[in-house]
Amino acid sequence: MAASITLAGQSLIAQKQAAGQVLTVARFILANVPGLDFNGPVDRAALKPPAAQIVHTAPVTQSGYVNPNQVVYSLMMGTNIGDFDFNWIGLETSENVLLSVAYLPLQQKRKNILPGQVGNNVTRNFLVVFDGAQQLTAITIDASTWQFDYTARMKGIDERERLSNRDIFGRACFFGTALQMVKVGSAYQLKPGLAYIEGIRLERTAVTPLTVPSVPNKAWLDVVLQRDQSDVVGAFQVVFGTGKVDYTDSVGAQHYLVPLADLVSSSSITDLRPIEQIQGELVRHFAAREGDYPKLRARGTTKEDVDLGNIPNAISDDPASNSSQILATTKALRAAQVAVVAPMVGQVASFALAVPPAGWLKANGAVVPRAVYADLFAAIGTRFGAGDGATTFNLPDLRGQFVRGWDDGRGIDPSRVMGTEQAFQNAAHTHGASTANAGDHSHTATVGSSGSHSHSGTATSAGGHTHSISGTAASAGAHTHGVQTKQDWGQNGDGFSFAGGVARRVNSTQSSGDHTHAISGTAASAGAHTHAVTTVAAGDHSHSVTLAAVAAHSHAVTVESSGGTETRPRNLALLYCIKY
């Protein structure tokens, strides 16, 4: 149920207090508001419900004060009033100002209409709380003299008693064999005795028979403090199953469930009760004991009492002590921790984790407070960034980076400063390349003239291409070519001469006059090279040959690209963190 003073009521209270006037609450208003959430907060700015929802209006029956800051107003409705249901109550002042409002579950008010309907008496009390309430309302009657909500009062007493018992006996306390589950013959039963469950006192003076639905199973005590006619009593039942938990039933009573026994088999029961060896009153139980109590010491406890006789009395604050006879103090342990952890501050390490472990931060270039991470700031300073220059600093950013050992004067990576980055770079190197094939082609050759004639000839091949050759050989003038024939003759005849017994004959060819010889042929490809040219013989003379020069030209060279967007070795991605 929710209740509150309205904003209009708060304003009126302030006005009355400022003017020194009396605040008079005149009437109760009851309404049935559809869809009202009685567990929700009161809308302090809301007005009275519409007239169609108001079911009853009546003057305040009685008023009284509880203390100087609390006053209570009562409405008593007899069996002559009804029939209606209501879930909204309001207090209205003599100025028709809605002072306070309460939401509650739907209530029934029935009129006495005999013999078919028996009516009910309903009393509703509205407590209003603000500073100086009793003085401002001028109420002089003590509410306790005429008004007492026995239901609320008794419920409060019952709960206080339960909590007091809970403080003494804890969650569950069974005296000896009380409520122990046993099997006698083929039947299950609970032994009699006394127990406290969540402060609720349970007692059985006789054996309680039980019905077990199945085995194996687990038994629980379901305990509740519930109404029994005009009283409230502790009650329990045995339930079976696994994972039982406390719950609230349909009438709002709280149930507490504690383990009772494990039914391992039809012949085996494991007792789960927390047992105390108490057979009577607690005071007599403790007073009857002499000497030491189990787990409760009546005198000063020694090391021997708790099996710690081998522990020495010597202690030390020295974290470097290596003695087996001395116990390290908290101070020594903390000093040792500092000695181990302090040198690690600023260390960078990689982890196969998505988040940093305790004591580490991601090395992601983040800006962090200098005061919070004072040890880390003292170690690395502003080497990786000064943050805002006053209260923060930057962590190193190793995301997507490879780490390289600082050269520190070795000369492999000279002139590097600790914490600086390097851009991408390739070492100087060369690449092989080839030119495109220029295809088959030919060269022109010219044979110089050697008289009034020309010679044909060919250029020796020097590659997979041809050269065209053209021109004339120099004229040699009118001339003849001698022809010598060696022949043995059998007899003398005209025109023969004999020498050494061999007849020889010399003839001459006819002159053709001045003339030239045509030259044609192919030259072999051989890149930058020379070609031999052979011409048809024309006597004992030579001809000069000139090959036409090829004009200056170039050949295209293509070097193919390879690789991606960066230079890198094979690698594995891990999370870099820095110790703080």
Side-chain angles (χ1 to χ4, degrees):
M1 185 178 77
S4 180
I5 295 175
T6 65
L7 295 177
Q10 180 178 318
S11 177
L12 181 62
I13 290 171
Q15 293 174 21
K16 294 288 186 181
Q17 287 176 333
Q21 298 174 346
V22 175
L23 175 68
T24 302
V25 175
R27 65 191 66 86
F28 275 82
I29 300 173
L30 307 183
N32 187 350
V33 179
L36 184 66
D37 180 9
F38 64 87
N39 288 318
V42 169
D43 182 0
R44 300 181 63 207
L47 304 176
K48 286 190 300 184
Q53 297 176 4
I54 295 176
V55 295
H56 185 64
T57 301
V60 172
T61 306
Q62 187 59 277
S63 60
Y65 68 86
V66 178
N67 59 49
N69 300 320
Q70 297 180 355
V71 291
V72 62
Y73 298 91
S74 293
L75 173 65
M76 300 177 185
M77 296 177 287
T79 56
N80 62 323
I81 297 175
D83 291 343
F84 56 81
D85 297 337
F86 63 97
N87 60 3
W88 185 97
I89 300 178
L91 287 183
E92 194 171 48
T93 71
S94 57
E95 295 89 358
N96 298 323
V97 174
L98 186 62
L99 179 72
S100 55
V101 172
Y103 299 164
L104 59 159
L106 193 65
Q107 311 288 301
Q108 290 184 339
K109 178 66 187 77
R110 295 295 179 261
K111 186 176 182 179
N112 197 20
I113 305 175
L114 298 177
Q117 177 174 292
V118 177
N120 60 337
N121 289 298
V122 175
T123 299
R124 284 292 171 264
N125 301 308
F126 209 126
L127 184 68
V128 180
V129 181
F130 60 88
D131 290 343
Q134 189 263 334
Q135 180 180 2
L136 186 64
T137 58
I139 295 175
T140 59
I141 300 174
D142 189 336
S144 64
T145 63
W146 57 268
Q147 183 184 56
F148 199 86
D149 188 344
Y150 285 94
T151 301
R153 176 68 171 151
M154 292 299 101
K155 186 175 181 181
I157 293 174
D158 292 337
E159 181 64 8
R160 284 193 293 274
E161 180 185 19
R162 185 190 74 80
L163 292 175
S164 296
N165 291 336
R166 176 67 168 81
D167 292 341
I168 297 172
F169 298 104
R171 167 76 172 177
C173 178
F174 295 83
F175 287 20
T177 60
L179 307 184
Q180 182 181 2
M181 188 173 182
V182 295
K183 188 176 184 182
V184 180
S186 60
Y188 292 93
Q189 62 185 26
L190 290 184
K191 290 184 176 182
L194 177 65
Y196 284 86
I197 307 298
E198 277 292 340
I200 300 173
R201 187 178 188 272
L202 306 176
E203 185 175 18
R204 288 293 181 270
T205 58
V207 170
T208 304
L210 293 174
T211 300
V212 177
S214 63
V215 176
N217 216 324
K218 187 173 184 177
W220 303 72
L221 275 185
D222 184 338
V223 182
V224 61
L225 191 62
Q226 66 181 13
R227 291 178 59 185
D228 184 4
Q229 297 183 13
S230 61
D231 197 5
V232 175
V233 298
F236 75 87
Q237 62 178 330
V238 178
V239 296
F240 297 88
T242 59
K244 300 291 186 180
V245 295
D246 298 350
Y247 67 95
T248 302
D249 64 20
S250 60
V251 297
Q254 180 66 46
H255 289 246
Y256 306 99
L257 285 95
V258 295
L260 185 63
D262 262 335
L263 307 179
V264 181
S265 66
S266 59
S267 60
S268 177
I269 300 177
T270 301
D271 189 10
L272 300 179
R273 301 169 308 133
I275 305 168
E276 297 299 336
Q277 299 302 324
I278 301 174
Q279 301 302 325
E281 297 92 338
L282 292 178
V283 172
R284 290 181 182 274
H285 174 77
F286 290 127
R289 298 296 298 272
E290 293 182 1
D292 296 336
Y293 291 79
K295 299 184 179 180
L296 180 65
R297 304 299 169 184
R299 56 179 169 78
T301 302
T302 67
K303 291 184 295 184
E304 287 72 20
D305 288 335
V306 289
D307 297 327
L308 296 177
N310 291 329
I311 295 180
N313 290 323
I315 60 175
S316 173
D317 290 339
D318 182 9
S321 175
N322 195 34
S323 174
S324 60
Q325 300 300 313
I326 298 177
L327 293 178
T329 63
T330 302
K331 180 178 180 181
L333 292 177
R334 287 182 176 175
Q337 182 183 24
V338 170
V340 172
V341 175
M344 295 175 60
V345 173
Q347 175 185 348
V348 171
S350 58
F351 295 91
L353 303 171
V355 296
W360 296 75
L361 295 171
K362 289 183 179 180
N364 61 1
V367 177
V368 296
R370 299 183 183 186
V372 175
Y373 302 102
D375 291 343
L376 180 57
F377 180 67
I380 68 173
T382 59
R383 178 174 293 128
F384 302 100
D388 63 4
T391 63
T392 60
F393 69 106
N394 291 78
L395 302 178
D397 194 350
L398 292 175
R399 294 173 297 175
Q401 300 254 45
F402 292 98
V403 176
R404 182 176 187 175
W406 179 38
D407 185 274
D408 195 20
R410 185 178 181 184
I412 295 176
D413 184 23
S415 302
R416 286 294 297 280
V417 176
M418 168 71 76
T420 58
E421 295 186 1
Q422 279 183 330
F424 295 112
Q425 187 182 75
N426 286 328
H429 58 285
T430 59
H431 293 275
S434 60
T435 62
N437 190 342
D440 292 341
H441 60 282
S442 60
H443 295 270
T444 302
T446 301
V447 180
S449 175
S450 178
S452 56
H453 64 279
S454 61
H455 296 272
S456 64
T458 59
T460 304
S461 174
H465 62 280
T466 60
H467 298 270
S468 49
I469 301 172
S470 63
T472 56
S475 174
H479 61 280
T480 61
H481 295 274
V483 177
Q484 184 178 42
T485 302
K486 181 179 179 181
Q487 181 66 50
D488 292 334
W489 299 95
Q491 61 183 0
N492 292 330
D494 290 337
F496 288 89
S497 63
F498 292 89
V502 177
R504 298 184 184 276
R505 186 176 181 176
V506 178
N507 294 322
S508 298
T509 61
Q510 293 181 345
S511 173
S512 300
D514 290 338
H515 62 277
T516 61
H517 297 272
I519 298 175
S520 65
T522 59
S525 171
H529 57 281
T530 59
H531 296 273
V533 177
T534 303
T535 62
V536 177
D540 292 332
H541 61 275
S542 61
H543 300 275
S544 62
V545 177
T546 302
L547 295 179
V550 176
H553 60 281
S554 61
H555 295 273
V557 177
T558 302
V559 179
E560 298 294 337
S561 65
S562 64
T565 59
E566 62 178 0
T567 302
R568 62 171 181 258
R570 183 171 179 170
N571 61 84
L572 175 68
L574 294 176
L575 177 65
Y576 273 112
C577 298
I578 187 167
K579 185 75 177 71
Y580 65 83

